[in-house]
Amino acid sequence: MDILLATLLGGLLALDATSVGQFMVSRPLVAGAVVGWALGDPATGITVGAVLELYLLVSFPTGGSRFPEGATATVVAVATAAGSEAAGALPLAVAVGLVWGQVGGFSITALRLLNNRLVPEPGDRFPGPRRVAALHLAAILLDFARGAAVTLVGAWIGRAVLTAAGSTWPLSRTGSLGLMLVGAAVSVGILLRDLGGFRRRRVLFTGGLALGILGARLL
Amino acid sequence: MTSEISRGVLVSTFLRSFLIQGSWNYHTMLGAGFAFAMLPGLRRLFGNDGSAMRASLDRHLEHFNAHPYMSTLALGAALRLEAEGSDADTVRRFKSAVRGPLGGLGDTLVWATWLPSMSVAGLALLWLGVPGWLAAVAFLVAYNLGHLWLRVWAFRAGLREGRDVGRRLGRTDLMGWATRLRGITALLVGLLAGAVLAGRGGLSDAGPLWGALATAAFVGGLLAGHHAWRPAAVAVVGVVALLAAWGLAA
């Protein structure tokens, strides 16, 4: 039942990333909270979503480029870890999510290639307004089906991985989170570079760092 | 703006702009989505004239690409051009002229600045101890205030200015806003890094080794840029797989 719910959510959230609205409900921070709540484990959803959001800080649905799909990656990762007490739940779920983000990216490319054949083009025999609208909406429906299918397979694989390796995971919970944050720190560094680099932004970055440390100690 | 385009048509066109990327493809990119969004206006203008409708729909099915939020500017302007009875070449030239700037401007302003700044702010809130659901809602609300403002502003600017919308874009100085926002985002990145380093459930709990490794990884990302992302993700997945195998074997 949980996997079916995750599949439905995967299809819906995948739509938000490119086809419908781009309200960023599909970002891992939000998608993780939504899916965690839906699956009855909001704390896991928020943790997994926050970690994946850190990884995907520098990944955006830009033009025709191939990008890791955050929505299905997050749904798969949360569906993998939700309800599990195993120490390995977080790292295994995030790892499956990172792999599945790439799978989602490839599936988007495949769908866009399919759309090449589906959508009307100028010079075609006049398709008519109704046909233009119907084909456009059909492409959106296909994107939903793609997101749902990618999520279904990913969640099933994620659950299998967690069942096999979750209970024998050798690191503690804090060590596991540490490992995940080491990988995520690379994205934070890339983002600061995108914003102008350390040399140019050193005053603002260092000021923020001090505020962050102070805030974390006081709050 | 011509009175031939009713308020209902404008609202319908604007709402359809949220689906403009629905049939994204490598041949015409947003072409079919653009035509889909233009349909209410084209029906209104050419509903009884089959050949005019055909010609108009055909030119809007042509290749077009832009940032999805900024595409409303082209939609508004194209709607105005069609309502004014502009010839096909004028409409084509206009769409061809704006697609590059609207893509570049939107990517810089939204994907490279607004989204990461709101995302980092949401994450910083979370690591500073704000409940996770509240951090997610704060991100969603703040992000979409900017998102919806941009869509509405661009659509209205396109409708008002028509083919002269480039001058309006120049006066608004969106790139200047992006530059200022990037400075604030650097401060937020520092805030996030500090909160993750020192906050509860962060690297201080995991131990100094993880803190040192994370600092090294941060410097690596800073030096190598986007080239580092995929190798880092592969390395994390590889380490997790090795640890899992080690746990299974032990």
Side-chain angles (χ1 to χ4, degrees), chain B residues 153-240:
Chain B
W153 174 83
F155 189 59
R156 292 179 66 175
L159 275 173
R160 199 164 38 239
E161 308 287 339
R163 82 181 78 172
D164 297 326
V165 76
R167 274 184 289 191
R168 179 66 192 272
L169 270 179
R171 283 201 307 271
T172 310
D173 190 27
L174 291 175
M175 290 304 274
W177 290 17
T179 304
R180 287 188 284 279
L181 187 58
R182 288 163 88 78
I184 296 168
T185 311
L187 181 107
L188 291 171
V189 170
L191 189 74
L192 172 64
V196 173
L197 276 171
R200 267 175 298 167
L203 286 162
S204 62
D205 287 358
L209 172 67
W210 295 113
L213 286 172
T215 306
F218 170 79
V219 173
L222 189 59
L223 294 176
H226 284 265
H227 298 296
W229 192 89
R230 201 175 295 269
V234 169
V236 168
V237 172
V239 169
V240 169

Coordinates of all heavy atoms in Angstrom, one line a residue, chain B residues 153-240:
Chain B
W153 N 4.2 39.8 -13.6 CA 4.9 41.0 -14.1 C 5.3 40.8 -15.6 O 5.0 41.7 -16.4 CB 6.2 41.2 -13.3 CG 7.0 42.4 -13.8 CD1 6.8 43.7 -13.6 CD2 8.1 42.3 -14.8 NE1 7.7 44.4 -14.3 CE2 8.5 43.6 -15.1 CE3 8.7 41.2 -15.4 CZ2 9.5 43.8 -15.9 CZ3 9.8 41.5 -16.2 CH2 10.2 42.8 -16.5
A154 N 5.8 39.6 -15.9 CA 6.3 39.4 -17.3 C 5.1 39.4 -18.2 O 5.2 39.9 -19.3 CB 7.1 38.1 -17.4
F155 N 4.0 38.7 -17.8 CA 2.8 38.7 -18.7 C 2.3 40.0 -19.0 O 2.0 40.4 -20.1 CB 1.8 37.7 -18.1 CG 0.6 37.4 -18.9 CD1 0.8 36.8 -20.2 CD2 -0.7 37.7 -18.6 CE1 -0.3 36.4 -21.0 CE2 -1.7 37.4 -19.4 CZ -1.5 36.8 -20.6
R156 N 2.2 40.8 -17.9 CA 1.6 42.2 -18.0 C 2.5 43.1 -18.9 O 2.1 43.9 -19.7 CB 1.3 42.8 -16.7 CG 0.2 42.0 -15.9 CD 0.0 42.6 -14.5 NE -0.5 44.0 -14.6 CZ -0.9 44.7 -13.6 NH1 -0.8 44.2 -12.4 NH2 -1.3 45.9 -13.7
A157 N 3.8 42.9 -18.6 CA 4.8 43.7 -19.4 C 4.7 43.4 -20.9 O 4.7 44.3 -21.7 CB 6.2 43.5 -18.9
G158 N 4.6 42.1 -21.2 CA 4.4 41.7 -22.6 C 3.2 42.2 -23.2 O 3.2 42.7 -24.4
L159 N 2.1 42.1 -22.5 CA 0.8 42.7 -23.0 C 0.9 44.2 -23.3 O 0.4 44.7 -24.2 CB -0.3 42.4 -22.0 CG -1.0 41.0 -22.1 CD1 -1.9 40.8 -20.9 CD2 -1.8 40.8 -23.4
R160 N 1.5 44.9 -22.3 CA 1.5 46.3 -22.4 C 2.4 46.9 -23.5 O 2.1 47.8 -24.2 CB 1.9 46.9 -21.0 CG 1.5 48.3 -20.8 CD 1.5 48.8 -19.3 NE 2.6 48.2 -18.6 CZ 2.5 47.4 -17.5 NH1 1.3 47.1 -17.1 NH2 3.5 46.9 -16.9
E161 N 3.6 46.2 -23.5 CA 4.6 46.8 -24.4 C 4.7 46.1 -25.8 O 5.2 46.7 -26.7 CB 6.0 46.6 -23.8 CG 6.1 47.1 -22.3 CD 6.1 48.6 -22.2 OE1 6.5 49.3 -23.3 OE2 5.8 49.2 -21.2
G162 N 4.1 44.9 -25.9 CA 4.2 44.3 -27.2 C 5.6 44.1 -27.7 O 6.4 43.6 -26.9
R163 N 5.8 44.4 -29.0 CA 7.2 44.2 -29.5 C 8.3 45.0 -28.9 O 9.5 44.8 -29.1 CB 7.2 44.3 -31.0 CG 7.3 45.7 -31.5 CD 7.2 45.8 -33.0 NE 5.9 45.7 -33.5 CZ 5.5 45.9 -34.7 NH1 6.4 46.2 -35.6 NH2 4.3 45.8 -35.1
D164 N 7.9 46.1 -28.1 CA 8.9 47.0 -27.5 C 9.2 46.5 -26.1 O 9.8 47.3 -25.3 CB 8.3 48.4 -27.4 CG 8.1 49.0 -28.8 OD1 8.9 48.6 -29.7 OD2 7.1 49.7 -29.0
V165 N 8.9 45.3 -25.8 CA 9.1 44.8 -24.4 C 10.5 44.8 -24.0 O 10.9 44.9 -22.8 CB 8.4 43.5 -24.2 CG1 9.2 42.3 -24.8 CG2 8.1 43.2 -22.7
G166 N 11.4 44.7 -25.0 CA 12.9 44.7 -24.7 C 13.3 45.9 -23.9 O 14.1 45.9 -23.0
R167 N 12.7 47.1 -24.2 CA 13.1 48.3 -23.5 C 12.6 48.3 -22.1 O 13.3 48.7 -21.2 CB 12.4 49.5 -24.2 CG 13.2 50.1 -25.4 CD 12.6 51.3 -26.0 NE 11.4 50.9 -26.7 CZ 10.7 51.8 -27.5 NH1 11.1 53.0 -27.6 NH2 9.7 51.4 -28.1
R168 N 11.4 47.7 -21.8 CA 10.9 47.5 -20.5 C 11.9 46.6 -19.7 O 12.2 46.9 -18.5 CB 9.5 46.9 -20.5 CG 8.9 46.7 -19.2 CD 8.6 48.0 -18.5 NE 8.3 47.8 -17.1 CZ 7.1 47.6 -16.6 NH1 6.1 47.6 -17.4 NH2 6.9 47.4 -15.3
L169 N 12.3 45.5 -20.3 CA 13.3 44.6 -19.7 C 14.5 45.4 -19.2 O 15.0 45.2 -18.1 CB 13.6 43.5 -20.6 CG 12.8 42.2 -20.6 CD1 13.3 41.2 -21.6 CD2 12.7 41.6 -19.2
G170 N 15.0 46.2 -20.1 CA 16.2 47.0 -19.9 C 16.1 47.9 -18.7 O 16.9 48.0 -17.8
R171 N 14.9 48.6 -18.6 CA 14.6 49.5 -17.5 C 14.5 48.8 -16.2 O 14.8 49.4 -15.2 CB 13.3 50.3 -17.8 CG 13.4 51.4 -18.9 CD 12.3 52.4 -18.7 NE 10.9 51.8 -18.7 CZ 10.2 51.5 -19.7 NH1 10.7 51.8 -20.9 NH2 9.0 51.0 -19.6
T172 N 14.0 47.6 -16.2 CA 13.7 47.0 -14.9 C 15.0 46.5 -14.2 O 15.0 46.3 -13.0 CB 12.7 45.8 -15.1 OG1 11.6 46.3 -15.9 CG2 12.2 45.2 -13.8
D173 N 16.0 46.2 -14.9 CA 17.3 45.8 -14.3 C 17.2 44.5 -13.5 O 17.6 44.5 -12.3 CB 17.9 47.0 -13.5 CG 19.3 46.7 -13.1 OD1 20.0 45.9 -13.8 OD2 19.8 47.2 -12.0
L174 N 16.6 43.5 -14.1 CA 16.5 42.2 -13.4 C 17.9 41.6 -13.0 O 18.0 41.0 -12.0 CB 15.7 41.2 -14.2 CG 14.2 41.6 -14.4 CD1 13.5 40.6 -15.3 CD2 13.5 41.6 -13.0
M175 N 18.8 41.9 -13.9 CA 20.2 41.3 -13.7 C 20.8 42.0 -12.5 O 21.6 41.4 -11.7 CB 21.1 41.5 -14.9 CG 20.7 40.6 -16.1 SD 20.6 38.9 -15.7 CE 22.3 38.4 -16.0
G176 N 20.5 43.3 -12.3 CA 21.0 44.0 -11.1 C 20.5 43.4 -9.8 O 21.2 43.2 -8.8
W177 N 19.2 43.0 -9.9 CA 18.6 42.3 -8.7 C 19.2 41.0 -8.4 O 19.5 40.7 -7.3 CB 17.1 42.1 -9.0 CG 16.2 43.3 -9.0 CD1 16.6 44.6 -9.2 CD2 14.8 43.3 -8.9 NE1 15.5 45.4 -9.2 CE2 14.4 44.6 -9.0 CE3 13.8 42.3 -8.8 CZ2 13.0 45.0 -9.0 CZ3 12.5 42.7 -8.7 CH2 12.1 44.0 -8.8
A178 N 19.5 40.3 -9.5 CA 20.1 39.0 -9.4 C 21.5 39.1 -8.7 O 21.9 38.3 -7.8 CB 20.3 38.3 -10.7
T179 N 22.3 40.1 -9.1 CA 23.6 40.3 -8.6 C 23.5 40.6 -7.1 O 24.3 40.1 -6.3 CB 24.3 41.5 -9.3 OG1 24.3 41.2 -10.7 CG2 25.7 41.7 -8.8
R180 N 22.6 41.5 -6.7 CA 22.5 41.8 -5.3 C 22.0 40.6 -4.5 O 22.5 40.3 -3.4 CB 21.5 43.0 -5.1 CG 22.0 44.3 -5.5 CD 21.1 45.4 -5.2 NE 20.0 45.5 -6.1 CZ 20.0 46.1 -7.3 NH1 21.1 46.6 -7.7 NH2 18.9 46.2 -8.0
L181 N 21.1 39.8 -5.1 CA 20.6 38.6 -4.4 C 21.7 37.6 -4.2 O 21.7 36.8 -3.2 CB 19.4 38.1 -5.2 CG 18.6 36.9 -4.5 CD1 18.1 37.3 -3.1 CD2 17.5 36.5 -5.4
R182 N 22.6 37.5 -5.1 CA 23.7 36.5 -5.0 C 24.6 36.8 -3.8 O 25.1 35.9 -3.2 CB 24.5 36.5 -6.3 CG 23.7 35.9 -7.5 CD 24.3 36.2 -8.8 NE 25.3 35.3 -9.2 CZ 25.1 34.1 -9.7 NH1 23.9 33.7 -9.9 NH2 26.1 33.3 -10.1
G183 N 24.7 38.1 -3.5 CA 25.5 38.4 -2.3 C 24.8 38.0 -1.1 O 25.4 37.4 -0.2
I184 N 23.5 38.2 -1.0 CA 22.7 37.7 0.1 C 22.7 36.2 0.2 O 22.8 35.6 1.3 CB 21.2 38.2 0.0 CG1 21.2 39.8 0.1 CG2 20.4 37.7 1.2 CD1 19.9 40.4 -0.3
T185 N 22.7 35.6 -0.9 CA 22.7 34.1 -0.9 C 24.1 33.6 -0.4 O 24.1 32.6 0.3 CB 22.5 33.5 -2.3 OG1 21.3 34.2 -2.9 CG2 22.3 32.0 -2.3
A186 N 25.2 34.3 -0.7 CA 26.5 33.9 -0.1 C 26.4 33.9 1.4 O 27.0 33.1 2.1 CB 27.6 34.8 -0.6
L187 N 25.7 34.9 2.0 CA 25.6 35.0 3.4 C 24.8 33.9 3.9 O 25.1 33.2 5.0 CB 24.9 36.4 3.8 CG 24.7 36.6 5.3 CD1 25.6 37.7 5.7 CD2 23.3 37.1 5.6
L188 N 23.7 33.5 3.2 CA 22.9 32.4 3.6 C 23.6 31.1 3.5 O 23.4 30.2 4.4 CB 21.6 32.3 2.7 CG 20.6 33.5 2.9 CD1 19.5 33.4 1.9 CD2 20.0 33.4 4.3
V189 N 24.5 30.9 2.5 CA 25.3 29.7 2.4 C 26.2 29.6 3.7 O 26.4 28.5 4.3 CB 26.1 29.7 1.1 CG1 27.2 28.6 1.1 CG2 25.2 29.6 -0.1
G190 N 26.8 30.7 4.1 CA 27.6 30.7 5.3 C 26.8 30.3 6.5 O 27.2 29.5 7.4
L191 N 25.6 30.9 6.6 CA 24.6 30.6 7.7 C 24.3 29.1 7.7 O 24.4 28.5 8.8 CB 23.4 31.4 7.5 CG 22.4 31.4 8.6 CD1 22.9 32.3 9.8 CD2 21.0 31.9 8.2
L192 N 24.0 28.5 6.6 CA 23.7 27.1 6.5 C 25.0 26.3 6.9 O 24.8 25.3 7.7 CB 23.3 26.7 5.1 CG 23.1 25.3 4.8 CD1 22.0 24.7 5.6 CD2 22.9 25.0 3.3
A193 N 26.1 26.6 6.4 CA 27.4 25.9 6.7 C 27.6 25.9 8.2 O 27.9 24.9 8.9 CB 28.6 26.4 6.0
G194 N 27.4 27.1 8.8 CA 27.6 27.2 10.3 C 26.6 26.4 11.1 O 27.0 25.7 12.0
A195 N 25.4 26.4 10.6 CA 24.3 25.7 11.3 C 24.5 24.2 11.2 O 24.3 23.4 12.2 CB 22.9 26.1 10.7
V196 N 25.0 23.7 10.0 CA 25.2 22.3 9.8 C 26.5 21.8 10.7 O 26.5 20.8 11.2 CB 25.4 21.9 8.3 CG1 25.9 20.5 8.2 CG2 24.1 22.2 7.6
L197 N 27.5 22.7 10.7 CA 28.7 22.4 11.5 C 28.4 22.3 13.0 O 28.8 21.4 13.7 CB 29.8 23.5 11.3 CG 30.6 23.3 10.0 CD1 31.5 24.5 9.8 CD2 31.5 22.0 10.2
A198 N 27.6 23.3 13.5 CA 27.4 23.4 14.9 C 26.1 23.0 15.5 O 25.9 22.9 16.7 CB 27.7 24.9 15.3
G199 N 25.1 22.8 14.6 CA 23.7 22.5 15.1 C 23.5 21.1 15.6 O 24.4 20.2 15.3
R200 N 22.4 20.9 16.3 CA 22.1 19.6 16.8 C 21.7 18.7 15.6 O 21.1 19.1 14.7 CB 20.9 19.7 17.7 CG 21.2 19.8 19.2 CD 20.0 20.0 20.0 NE 19.3 21.2 19.6 CZ 18.1 21.5 20.0 NH1 17.4 20.7 20.8 NH2 17.5 22.7 19.7
G201 N 22.2 17.5 15.7 CA 22.0 16.6 14.6 C 22.8 16.8 13.4 O 22.6 16.3 12.3
G202 N 23.8 17.7 13.5 CA 24.7 18.1 12.4 C 26.1 17.4 12.6 O 26.2 16.4 13.3
L203 N 27.1 18.1 12.1 CA 28.4 17.5 12.1 C 29.1 17.5 13.4 O 30.0 16.7 13.7 CB 29.3 18.2 11.0 CG 28.9 17.9 9.6 CD1 29.5 18.9 8.6 CD2 29.5 16.5 9.2
S204 N 28.7 18.4 14.3 CA 29.3 18.4 15.6 C 28.9 17.2 16.4 O 29.7 16.7 17.2 CB 28.9 19.7 16.4 OG 27.5 19.7 16.6
D205 N 27.7 16.7 16.2 CA 27.3 15.4 16.8 C 28.0 14.2 16.2 O 28.3 13.2 16.9 CB 25.8 15.2 16.6 CG 24.9 16.1 17.5 OD1 25.6 16.9 18.3 OD2 23.7 16.1 17.4
A206 N 28.3 14.3 14.9 CA 28.9 13.2 14.2 C 30.4 13.0 14.6 O 30.9 11.9 14.6 CB 28.8 13.3 12.7
G207 N 31.0 14.1 15.0 CA 32.4 14.0 15.5 C 33.4 14.8 14.6 O 33.0 15.2 13.5
P208 N 34.6 15.1 15.1 CA 35.5 16.0 14.4 C 36.0 15.4 13.1 O 36.2 16.2 12.1 CB 36.7 16.2 15.4 CG 36.5 15.1 16.4 CD 35.1 14.7 16.5
L209 N 36.1 14.1 13.0 CA 36.6 13.5 11.7 C 35.6 13.9 10.6 O 36.0 14.3 9.5 CB 36.6 12.0 11.9 CG 36.9 11.2 10.6 CD1 38.3 11.5 10.1 CD2 36.7 9.7 10.8
W210 N 34.3 13.7 10.9 CA 33.3 14.0 9.8 C 33.3 15.5 9.5 O 33.1 15.9 8.3 CB 31.9 13.6 10.2 CG 31.8 12.1 10.3 CD1 31.6 11.4 11.5 CD2 31.9 11.1 9.3 NE1 31.6 10.0 11.2 CE2 31.8 9.8 9.9 CE3 32.2 11.2 7.9 CZ2 31.9 8.7 9.1 CZ3 32.3 10.0 7.2 CH2 32.1 8.8 7.8
G211 N 33.5 16.3 10.5 CA 33.6 17.8 10.3 C 34.8 18.2 9.4 O 34.6 19.0 8.5
A212 N 35.9 17.5 9.7 CA 37.1 17.8 8.9 C 36.9 17.3 7.4 O 37.3 18.0 6.5 CB 38.3 17.1 9.5
L213 N 36.3 16.1 7.3 CA 36.1 15.6 5.9 C 35.1 16.5 5.2 O 35.3 16.7 4.0 CB 35.5 14.2 6.0 CG 36.6 13.1 6.4 CD1 35.9 11.7 6.6 CD2 37.6 12.9 5.3
A214 N 34.1 16.9 5.9 CA 33.1 17.8 5.2 C 33.7 19.1 4.8 O 33.4 19.6 3.7 CB 31.9 18.1 6.1
T215 N 34.6 19.7 5.6 CA 35.3 20.9 5.2 C 36.1 20.7 4.0 O 36.1 21.5 3.1 CB 36.1 21.4 6.4 OG1 35.3 21.5 7.6 CG2 36.8 22.8 6.1
A216 N 36.8 19.6 4.0 CA 37.7 19.2 2.8 C 36.8 19.1 1.6 O 37.1 19.6 0.5 CB 38.4 18.0 3.1
A217 N 35.6 18.4 1.7 CA 34.7 18.2 0.6 C 34.2 19.6 0.1 O 34.1 19.8 -1.1 CB 33.6 17.3 1.0
F218 N 33.9 20.5 1.1 CA 33.4 21.8 0.7 C 34.4 22.6 -0.1 O 34.1 23.2 -1.2 CB 33.1 22.6 2.0 CG 32.8 24.0 1.8 CD1 31.6 24.5 1.4 CD2 33.8 25.0 2.1 CE1 31.3 25.8 1.2 CE2 33.5 26.3 1.9 CZ 32.3 26.8 1.4
V219 N 35.7 22.5 0.3 CA 36.8 23.2 -0.4 C 36.9 22.5 -1.8 O 37.1 23.3 -2.8 CB 38.1 23.1 0.4 CG1 39.3 23.6 -0.4 CG2 38.0 23.9 1.7
G220 N 36.8 21.2 -1.8 CA 36.9 20.5 -3.1 C 35.8 21.1 -4.1 O 36.1 21.3 -5.3
G221 N 34.6 21.2 -3.6 CA 33.5 21.7 -4.4 C 33.8 23.1 -4.9 O 33.5 23.5 -6.0
L222 N 34.3 23.9 -3.9 CA 34.6 25.3 -4.2 C 35.6 25.5 -5.3 O 35.5 26.3 -6.2 CB 35.1 26.0 -2.9 CG 35.3 27.5 -2.8 CD1 34.0 28.2 -3.1 CD2 35.8 27.9 -1.4
L223 N 36.6 24.6 -5.3 CA 37.7 24.7 -6.2 C 37.4 24.1 -7.6 O 37.7 24.6 -8.6 CB 39.0 24.0 -5.7 CG 39.6 24.6 -4.5 CD1 40.8 23.8 -4.0 CD2 40.1 26.0 -4.8
A224 N 36.7 22.9 -7.6 CA 36.4 22.2 -8.8 C 35.1 22.6 -9.5 O 35.0 22.4 -10.7 CB 36.4 20.7 -8.5
G225 N 34.2 23.2 -8.8 CA 32.9 23.6 -9.4 C 32.1 22.4 -9.8 O 32.2 21.3 -9.2
H226 N 31.3 22.6 -10.8 CA 30.3 21.5 -11.2 C 30.9 20.2 -11.6 O 30.2 19.2 -11.5 CB 29.4 22.1 -12.3 CG 28.3 23.0 -11.7 ND1 27.1 22.6 -11.4 CD2 28.4 24.3 -11.4 CE1 26.4 23.7 -10.9 NE2 27.2 24.7 -10.9
H227 N 32.2 20.3 -12.0 CA 32.9 19.0 -12.4 C 32.9 18.0 -11.2 O 33.0 16.8 -11.4 CB 34.3 19.3 -12.9 CG 34.3 20.1 -14.1 ND1 33.8 19.7 -15.3 CD2 34.8 21.4 -14.3 CE1 34.0 20.7 -16.2 NE2 34.6 21.7 -15.6
A228 N 32.8 18.6 -10.0 CA 33.0 17.7 -8.8 C 31.7 17.0 -8.4 O 31.8 16.1 -7.6 CB 33.5 18.6 -7.6
W229 N 30.6 17.5 -8.9 CA 29.3 17.0 -8.4 C 29.1 15.5 -8.6 O 28.9 14.7 -7.7 CB 28.1 17.8 -8.9 CG 26.8 17.4 -8.2 CD1 26.4 18.1 -7.1 CD2 25.9 16.3 -8.4 NE1 25.2 17.5 -6.6 CE2 24.9 16.4 -7.4 CE3 25.8 15.3 -9.4 CZ2 23.9 15.5 -7.4 CZ3 24.8 14.4 -9.3 CH2 23.8 14.5 -8.3
R230 N 29.2 15.1 -9.9 CA 29.0 13.7 -10.2 C 30.0 12.8 -9.5 O 29.6 11.7 -8.9 CB 29.0 13.5 -11.7 CG 28.2 12.2 -12.2 CD 28.1 12.2 -13.7 NE 27.3 13.2 -14.2 CZ 26.0 13.2 -14.4 NH1 25.4 12.1 -14.2 NH2 25.4 14.2 -15.0
P231 N 31.3 13.1 -9.6 CA 32.3 12.2 -8.9 C 32.0 12.1 -7.4 O 32.1 11.0 -6.8 CB 33.6 12.8 -9.1 CG 33.5 13.6 -10.4 CD 32.0 14.1 -10.4
A232 N 31.5 13.2 -6.8 CA 31.2 13.2 -5.4 C 30.0 12.3 -5.1 O 30.0 11.4 -4.2 CB 31.0 14.6 -4.9
A233 N 29.0 12.4 -5.9 CA 27.8 11.6 -5.7 C 28.2 10.1 -6.0 O 27.7 9.2 -5.2 CB 26.7 12.0 -6.7
V234 N 29.0 9.8 -7.0 CA 29.4 8.4 -7.2 C 30.2 7.9 -6.1 O 30.0 6.7 -5.6 CB 30.2 8.3 -8.6 CG1 30.9 7.0 -8.7 CG2 29.3 8.6 -9.8
A235 N 31.1 8.7 -5.5 CA 31.9 8.3 -4.4 C 31.0 8.0 -3.2 O 31.3 7.0 -2.5 CB 32.9 9.4 -4.0
V236 N 30.0 8.8 -2.9 CA 29.1 8.6 -1.8 C 28.4 7.2 -2.0 O 28.3 6.4 -1.0 CB 28.1 9.7 -1.6 CG1 27.0 9.3 -0.6 CG2 28.9 11.0 -1.1
V237 N 27.8 7.1 -3.1 CA 27.1 5.8 -3.4 C 28.1 4.6 -3.3 O 27.7 3.6 -2.7 CB 26.5 5.8 -4.8 CG1 25.9 4.5 -5.2 CG2 25.4 6.9 -4.9
G238 N 29.3 4.8 -3.8 CA 30.3 3.7 -3.7 C 30.7 3.4 -2.3 O 30.7 2.2 -1.9
V239 N 30.9 4.4 -1.5 CA 31.2 4.2 -0.1 C 30.1 3.5 0.7 O 30.3 2.5 1.5 CB 31.6 5.5 0.6 CG1 31.7 5.3 2.2 CG2 32.9 6.0 0.1
V240 N 28.8 3.9 0.4 CA 27.7 3.3 1.0 C 27.6 1.8 0.6 O 27.3 0.9 1.4 CB 26.4 4.0 0.6 CG1 25.1 3.2 1.0 CG2 26.3 5.4 1.3

